[in-house]
Amino acid sequence: YVNSHDLVLAEFFAPWCGHCKKLAPEFEEAAAYLADTEHDITLAKVDCTESKEFCMELEVQGFPTLFIYDHGDQAGQYQGPRKSADIIKHMLKQSLPVVSELKLAADVESWLEENHEENPVVFLYLGSEEVKEDFELIAKLHRNSLSFISSSDPKLKELYNSDLVVFKLDEEPESLEGEATRESIDKFVVENRFASFEDLGPDNYINYIESGIPMLYAFVGDESARELIKDSLTPYIKQLKGKANVVFLDSNTYGRHASNLNMEQKFPALVIHDTDSNKKYIHDQSVDVSASSIKKFIDDFLGNKIQPNLKSADVPESQDEPVYVLVGSEYDKIVLDDDKDVLVEFYAPWCGHCNNLKPIYDELATLYEDNDKVVIAKLDHTENEVPDKITGYPTIKLFPAGDKKNPITFESARDLKSFIKFIKEKGTHKAEPNSLDAKDDKKKADKKSEKDEL
């Protein structure tokens, strides 16, 4: 179906979902309107309770999820308001050429005056056909948050002294230094796709997450706090490019989000969140936010002098279980021990699959308890944060000795033999477990010892 239409907006839903029910009339209205236009834009829907495997294959993680298909290719998600007018406007924009090619320098100036409303505008001087194709491919990836124009008028290259320029409202244009190649264009667009200071909300949150660049949250509740932070951060904007995007968050509306970032709900407040590693760098909340404290915070961050904050349970006073009980504060010490193969189960106490796994995982640990080259550990992910992306429970990863940057996810059957095979084949030390007979002998010896004591 998606291959037979230019553009398709597909809703993945569940009949019991309240948000899906609320969207339904708006979705129907948008579909009817777009069907009467000259464009080949259609809307479709998939019931994920009837097509479970298909929805899992597409990694649908919530309802409703709205995917856009451009000539059969998935072109991202629709994350905008769920009103028919907004859906129509967005899909009509998708039908326009991804890059507006203009002839003369005067045309570019006129286009900017008429169309530069909110999103930054990326301009490319067309020096070759190859760079034109690369530019269009990159434009497709970012068309929802940026506008793209191009021209082959050499006056523009002379005017901006660059092949590539990003225009932002109320800011000086940003120009690429060096040659415009696919790699340099992509990097430059990613680093300059947002305004230097922007308010964060539901409509643009996903764009910031997808950029892969950490966010510097500035929680503010009034204009004076906003101006203080903006004035203090302005001298650092160029240094922060590619390292952190600055966003303002209204503490009156979104103040509770501070707790998710391991902070007190005390405002104004600053924190840099690296969503890829889940590391949070917090401005000291024991001191007031001021120009001098902001300067120290940013200088420390850029100079790698500030330690990330990770939520952690207390270190156990003793390790009484067969499996090593790991906590966040000990993560680097245990997991990143380069001499050992470390198998970690990331679990949640409420997870039924985790509870079913416990006796098998405990037994596995007893088979390696005398091996000083292997650690069998578990971490309660609801109480401890780690610099790994964990999206489901249980997640089991092996961190091989000498190669901690490339952990291997366990994806076989969760039985004893599969775990043993996994450790032997994927671990650096190719460790063998204690024999099952030896384990039985140890149990008998323990029981005899208990009887002797009695």
Side-chain angles (χ1 to χ4, degrees):
Y1 181 80
V2 297
N3 285 329
S4 63
H5 294 281
D6 292 348
L7 283 169
V8 176
L9 178 63
E11 176 199 2
F12 295 83
F13 75 100
W16 46 259
C17 164
H19 294 298
C20 303
K21 292 175 182 177
K22 190 175 180 180
L23 171 63
E26 302 289 343
F27 204 66
E28 294 283 352
E29 186 177 330
Y33 180 92
L34 291 167
D36 286 338
T37 66
E38 59 184 8
H39 305 285
D40 183 17
I41 305 174
T42 70
L43 273 61
K45 58 185 180 181
V46 178
D47 183 345
C48 286
T49 64
E50 297 291 333
S51 305
K52 291 181 181 178
E53 289 186 8
F54 179 54
C55 293
M56 288 176 64
E57 190 179 312
L58 293 179
E59 298 182 354
V60 174
Q61 296 181 340
F63 304 120
T65 291
L66 301 168
F67 284 139
I68 299 169
Y69 291 88
D70 184 346
H71 294 86
D73 295 325
Q74 196 182 110
Q77 288 191 47
Y78 174 73
Q79 299 281 355
R82 294 171 183 169
K83 295 292 183 183
S84 60
D86 296 296
I87 294 170
I88 291 166
K89 180 181 177 182
H90 186 85
M91 293 307 294
L92 287 174
K93 183 181 178 182
Q94 298 291 311
S95 69
L96 299 173
V98 68
V99 178
S100 298
E101 191 170 340
L102 308 168
K103 291 184 178 180
L104 304 173
D107 297 331
V108 172
E109 292 174 7
S110 299
W111 191 97
L112 287 170
E113 287 179 8
E114 294 175 9
N115 299 285
H116 192 190
E117 298 173 354
E118 294 180 5
N119 292 341
V121 178
V122 184
F123 163 75
L124 175 73
Y125 168 69
L126 297 174
S128 68
E129 194 64 30
E130 183 181 355
V131 78
K132 176 182 177 180
E133 292 176 4
D134 290 339
F135 191 57
E136 288 182 349
L137 287 172
I138 292 166
K140 281 186 177 181
L141 295 174
H142 301 287
R143 70 182 302 168
N144 293 332
S145 57
L146 298 167
S147 299
F148 293 83
I149 58 175
S150 64
S151 176
S152 55
D153 187 343
K155 288 183 180 179
L156 286 159
K157 181 169 182 176
E158 295 173 15
L159 179 63
Y160 300 117
N161 194 31
S162 175
D163 288 343
L164 189 68
V165 183
V166 173
F167 299 93
K168 302 177 185 179
L169 282 177
D170 304 322
E171 295 185 39
E172 289 295 315
E174 297 281 354
S175 300
L176 172 71
E177 295 180 5
E179 185 184 359
T181 63
R182 182 168 183 173
E183 291 74 20
S184 66
I185 293 172
D186 188 42
K187 183 175 185 292
F188 188 75
V189 168
V190 168
E191 291 183 356
N192 292 279
R193 64 183 290 194
F194 303 111
S196 296
F197 299 94
E198 210 170 291
D199 288 314
L200 188 69
D203 294 346
N204 61 359
Y205 177 76
I206 192 65
N207 292 332
Y208 278 96
I209 294 295
E210 289 176 347
S211 75
I213 296 174
M215 279 187 282
L216 194 166
Y217 290 95
F219 286 87
V220 294
D222 54 57
E223 196 59 33
S224 62
R226 177 189 290 264
E227 288 304 312
L228 167 66
I229 292 172
K230 184 175 180 180
D231 290 344
S232 301
L233 290 177
T234 296
Y236 289 98
I237 289 301
K238 287 191 180 296
Q239 291 173 264
L240 287 170
K241 284 204 182 300
K243 297 183 176 73
N245 289 315
V246 180
V247 293
F248 283 111
L249 209 55
D250 183 354
S251 60
N252 299 311
T253 305
Y254 301 111
R256 284 182 296 177
H257 186 52
S259 301
N260 300 328
L261 299 167
N262 302 343
M263 302 168 69
E264 297 177 40
Q265 292 184 39
K266 175 186 174 185
F267 308 113
L270 294 167
V271 56
I272 297 170
H273 184 198
D274 184 340
T275 54
D276 281 347
S277 66
N278 201 28
K279 292 179 178 177
K280 305 169 183 74
Y281 303 86
I282 301 173
H283 176 287
D284 187 352
Q285 289 194 284
S286 67
V287 301
D288 292 336
V289 172
S290 64
S292 59
S293 72
I294 293 172
K295 182 180 186 306
K296 183 180 185 310
F297 174 61
I298 300 300
D299 285 341
D300 287 348
F301 173 73
L302 294 174
N304 295 317
K305 296 177 181 178
I306 183 171
Q307 292 298 313
N309 181 290
L310 291 173
K311 182 172 72 172
S312 176
D314 293 334
V315 177
E317 292 183 6
S318 61
Q319 293 287 345
D320 302 322
E321 300 184 41
V323 179
Y324 189 92
V325 179
L326 182 65
V327 296
S329 61
E330 282 196 315
Y331 184 85
D332 287 358
K333 173 186 169 185
I334 303 300
V335 177
L336 303 186
D337 183 341
D338 227 20
D339 294 330
K340 297 179 180 179
D341 293 328
V342 183
L343 187 72
V344 183
E345 176 203 1
F346 300 91
Y347 75 97
W350 46 258
C351 164
H353 296 299
C354 305
N355 293 329
N356 292 336
L357 174 63
K358 188 179 186 307
I360 297 170
Y361 204 67
D362 284 349
E363 189 173 3
L364 177 71
T366 63
L367 293 176
Y368 290 92
E369 62 184 350
D370 297 326
N371 193 317
D372 61 359
K373 295 296 183 182
V374 177
V375 176
I376 309 297
K378 63 181 180 180
L379 179 138
D380 181 349
H381 196 237
T382 66
E383 293 293 330
N384 300 276
E385 293 180 333
V386 295
D388 289 283
K389 280 193 174 180
I390 307 300
T391 57
Y393 305 119
T395 291
I396 303 164
K397 292 187 178 186
L398 177 67
F399 296 80
D403 192 18
K404 297 297 180 175
K405 291 184 178 179
N406 296 295
I408 305 161
T409 302
F410 177 80
E411 296 177 320
S412 303
R414 294 173 190 150
D415 56 56
L416 200 58
K417 287 184 178 179
S418 297
F419 280 119
I420 293 170
K421 182 181 178 184
F422 180 69
I423 293 170
K424 185 176 179 181
E425 291 183 353
K426 303 299 183 182
T428 299
H429 297 297
K430 311 299 179 188
E432 294 278 3
N434 299 330
S435 70
L436 294 176
D437 290 339
K439 187 191 75 169
D440 289 338
D441 290 342
K442 185 177 184 300
K443 281 185 177 179
K444 290 175 182 177
D446 289 343
K447 285 183 179 179
K448 184 178 184 304
S449 175
E450 287 176 9
K451 288 180 180 179
D452 291 344
E453 286 177 10
L454 291 172

